[in-house]
Amino acid sequence: MHTTSFENNSYLHREADFDGKVLFYNFNYGLVNGWKYESGKITASIFPGTEEGYRMSLQRGRGQSVCNTEIDWMEKRNCHNDIVWDHELGLPGIDVICDKYLHPEYHEVCVSLDDDEMDGGGGGYNPPSNPPETPPTPCKRAKTLSQDAAFKSRIKDVYRKTFSSGNTVEQGFIQTSDGQTIFPNVQESGSAKFTNDQIAGKEIMEWYHSHPTGSMITSWADLKALAIRYQQGYVKSENFTYGVVSEFGCMSIMITSPVDFNAFATKVRNGELSESWNAYIVGASGGGVDECIGQLLKFLDRNNSGLSVMFSSNIDESNPTWNAQELASNGKSVNMECNQ
């Protein structure tokens, strides 16, 4: 986090200007423990934490407890074999393809209470001046989307380009954290694709596309694309939403649990959930909007996806609104009761 001569820091020695964390891992079991430093001195100890602990820390506020759970995004790799063409031999071969992605790791950080250690610790533990807000709920996110005029304008634009002109080609956009709107480089019937060059170095905040054929929920290909981009590190913010625009409205998805969604994304990419998808979605009988979204909710809930769903049925009107969705006892989706 801060040091002018990183190479001078070692297993037992820390430079006087070293600020940051030192984490110790066991090859088989992950994080063992660690230490937090300020000005080269230990100010806190670190142990494995949990997502639940992180949420509790946010709710009670930083600096109000001896121990708080922090989140750090660690770079990891997901490797798989891929068939490639060897131009020299003129034969197909196997190559190992590795995608880098950011994985949330939770650290229980406990301030040292040793007076001697604290005296030399550069002022002790300093909580962030602007601690993160409590992670948004589907109810709060639906309200935010409903009040975001710029977002609604982008959704209306996708709807108009698709359905006002009877277009059979998918439309869409990606909105980045720096305010850039990126449109798909490849647009086909059943596909709206963004190339790696288009989004290189970008953080995706919004990712939406249309389904001209009428399906109001994500396809299996949509979920796989989202899983890949997430594990490649393009999605970092809790404010991210992904969605589908159809003639019935706009369905938005948010990530409510990064840990659960990361595990879910791995299973989607590996094809482990294809049979479950076929059972809940493809093999299920069709119906109205509430039946179709209900089928998707069943699939997401039963597979612990870490995703929540919101829906707007009136995006063609002047002031569309989104509502958080939940699964009713009859298997259909209903608007969640939101007290806000």
Side-chain angles (χ1 to χ4, degrees), residues 32 59 88 94 117 140 144 153 170 173 286:
V32 177
Q59 291 172 2
E88 182 178 359
I94 302 295
E117 191 173 67
K140 290 183 179 179
T144 299
S153 177
E170 287 193 6
F173 69 89

Side-chain angles (χ1 to χ4, degrees), residues 54-61 131-137 140-141 238-239:
Y54 174 65
R55 293 183 182 274
M56 291 177 62
S57 293
L58 294 179
Q59 291 172 2
R60 67 173 176 257
E133 296 180 357
T134 302
T137 64
K140 290 183 179 179
R141 177 56 49 76
E238 292 176 332
N239 294 319

Side-chain angles (χ1 to χ4, degrees), residues 190-206:
S191 178
K193 298 179 181 178
F194 300 86
T195 63
N196 291 335
D197 290 340
Q198 284 183 286
I199 60 175
K202 301 293 184 179
E203 178 186 355
I204 301 176
M205 301 298 293
E206 299 170 6

